[in-house]
Amino acid sequence: SPLAATTDVLEPNDSSAAARPLPPGVTPRVLLEAGAEDYYRVDVPAQHELRVGVGFQHASGDVDLELLDERGQVVSSSRGTTNVESVRV
């Protein structure tokens, strides 16, 4: 069932300069708005792997996922047409 519209507690995060830090683990029910870009910061220790996954109802809208480095360069991306986007680096 669709989630009720609520305030996104992680806003403002609409630019890389305003990226919100995320802790390790799962961050459930992040609110996404159509046409908006959201940025998050994840600190990954050297020699560790990062896996990011986003689950959603594709029929309600397409979500794409990009992983950027500290310079803003795309390191990995997922632009599928299913209910999950994921990257691993």
Side-chain angles (χ1 to χ4, degrees):
S1 67
L3 297 176
T6 61
T7 302
D8 186 347
V9 298
L10 297 175
E11 289 288 345
N13 64 335
D14 298 330
S15 69
S16 59
R20 300 297 298 260
L22 292 179
V26 175
T27 304
R29 297 185 183 244
V30 172
L31 180 66
L32 301 174
E33 291 185 33
E37 291 186 359
D38 288 328
Y39 292 80
Y40 305 94
R41 188 181 83 239
V42 179
D43 295 317
V44 181
Q47 306 302 316
H48 284 77
E49 178 179 74
L50 174 65
R51 290 181 286 174
V52 179
V54 179
F56 58 97
Q57 293 297 317
H58 189 80
S60 296
D62 184 30
V63 173
D64 293 324
L65 177 63
E66 289 185 337
L67 180 63
L68 310 176
D69 64 15
E70 62 276 356
R71 296 178 312 273
Q73 301 298 310
V74 176
V75 175
S76 185
S77 65
S78 179
R79 299 174 183 277
T81 57
T82 64
N83 293 338
V84 176
E85 299 289 350
S86 63
V87 295
R88 182 177 179 174
V89 293

